[in-house]
Amino acid sequence: MTTLIKEVKQKKHSKQGMLENVMEQFEHAAELVNLNPNIKKILSVTNNELIIHFPVRMDNGDVEIFKGYRVQHNNALGPYKGGLRYHPTIDIDAVKALAMWMTWKTALAGLPYGGAKGGIQMDPKKYSLGELERITRRFTYALGDNIGPEHDIPAPDVNTNAQTMAWIADTYMSTKKPSERSKNQHVVTGKPIGSGGLEGRDRATGYGVFLNIKFWAEQKNVHLKDKTFIVQGFGNVGYWAAHFLEKEGAKLVGVQDVFGTIINKEGLVVENLLDYTKNNEGSIVGFPNSENRDKEDFFGLDCDICIPAALGNQITEEKAHQIKAFLIAEGANGPTTVEAEKLLLERGVAIIPDILCNSGGVIGSYFEWLQNRNGELWELDEIMERLHKKMKEVFLKVLKVSETKKMDMRSAAYVLAIERLERTYIQRGVFP
Ligand code: GLU
């Protein structure tokens, strides 16, 4: 048994973590494809794990020490790729799990990337903008050449955004000699438009979630008009997915964020809710004509489609029993536990898995990276069209495997991702 699997199994009886979840998914898929045991050993462990403690001066003059992570899981298919997350729950196991999901996600999407993830263990709400800038810049400096435009390319994730990426790009480029600076702009993706960012990168993940729902509905002859949906997390992913679904005629009837849970059976107007949060310190609570609900009731709300677009391990066994939706579209990474998924599938609930459903983000990142590398500027229409084409192609591939091999969509997505990695390892062999 590989070390990582052993480590994970020993933790089995502690709180179920995301690492245990991704490893169980991987083991299941490895059995399905009868994965070469040597390649399984390689993919079961992470290539590199970096934990960095770094000091930052706070506004009051005190120095605070932060804990930052970057885990590079695998780079057989290309440079490491994956977001940076700022959250108090970030720890080494969470980052390992998220890095592995990135490897499967990029492999499934057919991108020339591997998988990585990172972040800082902290609650960004507790810091001023100036402090966040200094934390980000100091972390970037500490990462040094462990990241790089052709080596490991971070992007936004939970609680990080285009501004965070602009600080990282600027800091990283400042450490290079003047003549080399601009060719390092693609060290991160998800940058602001004026700083090498891609038009539409902000909406790419949420748009991709919407597209996956739309493709699924088309295949199953379901009309999205008047269907009801709920969204957990009203950040970048949740908002944009809701925006596009509402445009299609579906109705947002419940939202949950870190501050609370609100409902309105008649529908919550997505743009009004966004405007409201902007003037309410980011919170959805108190939105006119909405009713508050207990946090624990969220997944049991009456609806047709459920979009978890926040953190991992949200849909547990207990929650799976309560779910009324017929479709779960995973905007978040790892929102459904393995046990919960078994129950949901038995109950006939369809799940569009994270590595497919939220891959619009990293596909958008790939477009930005290409644009920077080639000194090009792409227009929004063209980008959205390319994203649509790519997402449809991947969705149909997954659906086909799931139908022909009679397996759920997550298993089908893993089969495609792992077979691609296996082919590459077989061609290349293992050095020396
Ligand atoms: N954080 C996003 C994800 O989990 C995007 C990663 C990227 O663009 O590199 O897929």
Side-chain angles (χ1 to χ4, degrees), residues 305-325:
I305 302 164
C306 167
I307 308 176
L311 297 173
N313 277 354
Q314 298 299 299
I315 305 179
T316 53
E317 243 177 301
E318 189 198 338
K319 296 280 185 294
H321 286 293
Q322 302 166 8
I323 282 183
K324 309 266 190 328

Side-chain angles (χ1 to χ4, degrees), residues 40-325:
K40 185 174 169 194
K41 283 183 207 159
I42 299 174
L43 292 174
S44 297
V45 292
T46 51
N47 285 0
N48 305 302
E49 295 170 15
L50 200 62
I51 303 181
I52 304 173
H53 294 105
F54 58 98
V56 180
R57 193 169 295 284
M58 298 291 105
D59 290 345
N60 67 4
D62 286 351
V63 165
E64 211 175 296
I65 305 293
F66 290 86
K67 205 182 187 89
Y69 302 87
R70 187 72 181 169
V71 170
Q72 298 167 333
H73 171 245
N74 188 278
N75 63 346
L77 301 175
Y80 298 107
K81 186 86 192 80
L84 288 176
R85 173 177 295 205
Y86 291 178
H87 202 272
T89 61
I90 274 285
D91 61 19
I92 191 66
D93 282 355
V95 184
K96 279 189 203 176
L98 291 159
M100 279 188 133
W101 274 314
M102 283 310 302
T103 302
W104 318 142
K105 198 186 301 186
T106 53
L108 173 66
L111 302 177
Y113 288 140
K117 201 76 164 205
I120 305 176
Q121 195 182 68
M122 66 153 175
D123 181 358
K125 286 197 296 298
K126 292 192 181 144
Y127 300 95
S128 70
L129 194 66
E131 287 171 336
L132 286 174
E133 176 173 356
R134 292 197 295 281
I135 295 166
T136 302
R137 287 186 182 276
R138 184 63 199 237
F139 179 46
T140 309
Y141 185 77
L143 282 170
D145 281 326
N146 289 296
I147 57 169
E150 306 290 328
H151 171 49
D152 182 356
I153 308 128
D157 198 83
V158 175
N159 291 334
T160 54
N161 55 26
Q163 176 62 78
T164 324
M165 298 305 117
W167 291 328
I168 298 177
D170 184 67
T171 309
Y172 184 83
M173 286 156 74
S174 301
T175 64
K176 304 289 159 202
K177 59 182 187 200
S179 60
E180 306 256 299
R181 284 181 193 158
S182 47
K183 73 171 190 206
N184 281 287
Q185 196 183 37
H186 53 304
V187 62
V188 280
T189 56
K191 299 178 289 294
I193 312 282
S195 306
L198 183 87
E199 293 267 6
R201 173 63 185 84
D202 56 347
R203 71 202 67 180
T205 315
Y207 181 57
V209 170
F210 157 72
L211 285 177
N212 272 288
I213 296 171
K214 189 168 137 78
F215 300 151
W216 183 90
E218 278 164 12
Q219 295 296 320
K220 308 282 170 190
N221 280 322
V222 170
H223 296 283
L224 289 177
K225 192 165 162 17
D226 297 328
K227 291 287 174 296
T228 56
F229 66 102
I230 59 173
V231 178
Q232 187 191 40
F234 203 62
N236 194 36
V237 183
Y239 160 70
W240 281 108
H243 166 96
F244 289 108
L245 264 175
E246 187 186 61
K247 266 182 144 179
E248 199 74 13
K251 205 159 63 177
L252 175 64
V253 293
V255 184
Q256 178 167 77
D257 71 1
V258 282
F259 304 99
T261 305
I262 59 167
I263 61 156
N264 182 346
K265 290 196 179 99
E266 303 312 313
L268 301 151
V269 179
V270 178
E271 295 314 310
N272 295 352
L273 182 57
L274 181 73
D275 289 343
Y276 177 79
T277 60
K278 283 183 184 157
N279 300 314
N280 196 34
E281 291 172 14
S283 167
I284 56 167
V285 177
F287 181 57
N289 300 324
S290 73
E291 237 177 80
N292 285 334
R293 270 300 177 93
D294 192 83
K295 183 174 182 274
E296 295 305 318
D297 296 341
F298 178 74
F299 285 109
L301 291 174
D302 260 325
C303 66
D304 300 310
I305 302 164
C306 167
I307 308 176
L311 297 173
N313 277 354
Q314 298 299 299
I315 305 179
T316 53
E317 243 177 301
E318 189 198 338
K319 296 280 185 294
H321 286 293
Q322 302 166 8
I323 282 183
K324 309 266 190 328

